[in-house]
Each structure stands twice: as structure tokens, then as C-alpha cells.
Amino acid sequence: MPQEQCAPGNSGNAGRPDSPGNSGNAGRPDSPGNSGNAGRPENPGKPDNPGRPGGDDAGAAECAFAPEGGRTDYDGGRDSLRAHSDDGIRIGNVAAGGGHFDDEGSTDPFFGEDGYQEHLAAEYSSITHENYLKWEFVHPEEGVYDFEAADAVVEFAQAHDMDVRGHALSWHSQNPDWLEEGDHSPEELRGILEDHVRTVVSRYAGCIQQWDVANEIFGDDADATIRDEENIWIRELGVEVLDDVFRWAHEEDPDALLFYNDYNVDGVNAKSDAYYDLVQGQLERGVPVHGFGAQTHLSMNYGFDETYQENLERFDALGLHTAVTEIDVRGDVGEDDRMNDEDRAGAAERFETVLQACLEVDNCNSFTIWGTLDAHSWVPGTFPGEGDATLHEGDYERKPTYCVIQRTLVEHQEGGDSWAEDAAFEECRGILEEAGV
């Protein structure tokens, strides 16, 4: 999830100001070279589960947080997103909490807001911990883990037949002070990192289908250089440690899909090239890298990179899964906290374009919206004057964007006539007609 994202600089679509190198979108603030497909090298560590993340093989680890009798079917109703979220594509959202929810007297939406969990279960088939699995929350003191919130999210997912994306095992941001300001030798840091990865992944073996193993490791400069100053692991242990974190995670849960995840990779550009080259080398060394995640934080103040699908396809051609991991589309808002009608229509079109791209790529099987209501979104607090980035507003009323996603999913699975004629989708047809979308 984006942590302090600043505004413009790219000629692409999103949000970081000082990122002159990317021609793609842009989105996250703090957070080299092959642009073609170099064949499809073997990926010896990749689980054989091209459909639903995690697979359902008999040999898969049993989730320790599953309800008695295992996961049960959960029906959100035909007029929902999860009704059209199948083994080919999981539609997700976040368990909102931590981070920007720090106003006096406020509670995290996941635990404290009436109707929030019911909404997630009704609409989505996948969930991501927004903050509860980041180091500052789950590993607040050296040698001390706090799994209470993270466990609750996994238990909720199991009870409502939802997949889980784990976010994130290593990152340069949201680390605890004891780690960033501690006086640890490289050998001690390596031990700390290995213990963290093994402890967290093994706890949720069989529960979490996809892990963001290494998050945002390249910068926003023109050459997309690796974060060898900001990222404590790379700075102190070298880039070679990336091989290790994937291997440790894979050893603890061989069935989980292991991803890189970043922003400003929404097209063929310097940063996505850097990932392509890195992953290609790791696959040749037999490192169990299984996926590439594009966060996709977009803005109506910037253009959209038309090479979005091409970029996913080249990672797919390497034998990787791909995922849209954190999508939202923000824009300038008025006093009513809404974009104007033109930008709202444009935002809906971008959601549709990205979803359609994912549906067209063989192993793009996870599409996660980053936030439910705008009140839960990180955007307004990070980009003053911008917002309207999610699918619902008010008391979970649907925006046109929601209905465009529903229409895209139904038409992909059942054909255009089904969505246009089925009475189940009457509400969304009315919303889109009124909005002129």
C-alpha cells in the first residue's frame, strides 16, 4: 500500500513528483533493461496452480485458522462482484486498519465500523491486510510478534471463503524503530530477517495464497536504481538477500505464490524493465519467484500507459503469475468529495481497461481494489484536494466504477446479453445510464 505518495512528475498517470524516468503511470511516492520476451525459462519453484492462487491439491498445507470442517461456500448474491469472481480471477479488497486511521477517537474500519466486514464478505472473494502484516505492526519489538489483528483477518477470510494476499514480508517503509535505528551487525540482521520470514509465513501456511515477498525495491529515478540506501536489507546485506527471502518463504509454504510488488510499473518502463531483468536472472538460478504485482495507483491528473497489458504479458511469458494488487483511481474533488462527471467517467474507464487487461492475460488471477469507502482510502490524507478513488461512497452506495467492473466481469464470463438483460443487474444498469457511462 502506498505510504506517503507525492504528486506529479511523470508524464504517465500517477502520483510521484520526482520520478522523471518513468513514462508510465506513477502512484506511490516512497516507495534495467530488457523490454522483450526472452523466451519462457523454467521456473522450478512455481507451484502448479495456474488457476486459483494457492491451489487445492491434497498435499497443500492445512490452514490452522480454518473453521471446523474447513472453509465453507459463501454466496454474496448474483448482484455482487464476488458472484463473478471465480478460479480465473479473484476480486479483492483490504482489511482497512493502521496507517492513516489515527485520528483521535477513531477505530480501524475492519474492527470498529458496523457493516464493514459484512460488505467485504458480500462483495469480494479475496482480502489483503492493509497494514496488519507490515513489520511495525506484526513485529513491534525485537523478538516479539503481535499476530492478534493479522490472525483475525485470516480467520474472517476462512469463515467467508475468501483468499488472502499477504502484504508484505520485506519493505523499506513502515519498519519499527528498533530495526531501523538498532545497532545490528549484518549477520544479526540476516538472522532477524530470516526469523521474521519463516515465523510469519509458517504461521499462515495454507491460509495465504499469495505473498508480497519483496515490496518496492526499485526507485523512481530515470534508471530505476535499486533502493540500496532506503532499504535496510539491501543496504546491509546486498541485493543477494532477495534470493534468500524468496527461498525462505517457499520452504515454509511451498504452495503459496511469491510475488514482487511495486507502483509505477503500469506499463513497459524503466522500473518494470528492472524487475523483468531481476526476475529473469533469479529464475535462471532456480529462485522460487512466482509472481509480479502491479499496484496500479492511478490519477486522472496524468495519462494512462497503453502498454499496461503488454507489460503483464511479458511477465506471464516468463512463467509468472501476475496480479493487480492495489488499484484505485483518484482525481481532483469538489466540496462534495467527488470528481467532476468527466473525471468520474474516465476513472471508471481506467478500472475497466486494467481489469480487461488482467482478464486477457492467462495467469493474471487477482484484482484487488485498495479501499472500500473513500473515507477508508489513503488518498485524501496523502493528496489534499484529491480523492473519489474507490468503488463505494456514503453508506456503501455504488459508484459508476463499481458497475463498470461488474459489467466487465459478467460480459467476460457470460457475454454482453446477460448483463444487459438480466434483472439481477438492473441497479447497475440504472446507475450507468444516469451517469452516462
Side-chain angles (χ1 to χ4, degrees), residues 304-323:
F304 179 77
D305 193 326
E306 298 296 337
T307 64
Y308 191 99
Q309 183 173 330
E310 177 186 346
N311 188 46
L312 296 185
E313 287 173 340
R314 65 175 175 161
F315 284 94
D316 182 82
L318 286 178
L320 299 186
H321 288 258
T322 56

Side-chain angles (χ1 to χ4, degrees), residues 49-79:
N49 50 356
R52 180 168 179 171
D56 295 313
D57 297 336
E62 182 178 346
C63 178
F65 298 92
E68 187 174 352
R71 282 168 51 147
T72 56
D73 292 338
Y74 186 90
D75 184 4
R78 182 156 168 78
D79 185 32

Side-chain angles (χ1 to χ4, degrees), residues 160-171:
H160 295 88
D161 193 28
M162 303 170 82
D163 287 347
V164 183
R165 293 199 81 257
H167 178 76
L169 290 174
S170 63
W171 192 22

